Amino acid sequence: MRDLPRSNGAGMMKQLCPRCEQGVIDKARVRINSTVLFVCAECEATWFSLEAIGNEPWVDFGTYLKSIGGRSVWAEVDVMEAD
């Protein structure tokens, strides 16, 4: 895993997406069910834990949201500050 050389304001480094190598990973909470996701802001590859990023297969953000009855839009989640 590689980090971008910039802080997110909380002193933590933003992680570069291992799938597209262009976007950063945002931590987000799904409004429908409160699930915490880690989503690439560029390609929307999604993981369900920080440890899974780059180590487990990614899930498509929109496909996951539709599977739980949501719409495939960012308005379905709240982006959170990294822990």
Side-chain angles (χ1 to χ4, degrees), residues 18-58:
R19 177 183 180 232
C20 71
E21 296 185 344
Q22 294 180 34
V24 294
I25 306 295
D26 287 320
K27 183 178 181 181
R29 183 178 309 278
V30 180
R31 291 180 178 183
I32 295 170
N33 63 7
S34 297
T35 297
V36 173
L37 306 174
F38 296 87
V39 185
C40 173
E42 181 71 26
C43 71
E44 296 187 342
T46 302
W47 295 268
F48 295 95
S49 72
L50 192 59
E51 297 78 23
I53 299 170
N55 296 313
E56 295 178 16
W58 56 273

Side-chain angles (χ1 to χ4, degrees), residues 1 3 8-10 13 16 19 22-23 25 30 38-39 48-49 51 59-61 64 66 77-78 83:
M1 288 187 274
D3 290 330
N8 67 1
M13 301 303 285
L16 187 64
R19 177 183 180 232
Q22 294 180 34
I25 306 295
V30 180
F38 296 87
V39 185
F48 295 95
S49 72
E51 297 78 23
V59 175
D60 179 72
F61 176 71
Y64 170 70
K66 285 182 180 180
V77 301
D78 294 312
D83 291 333

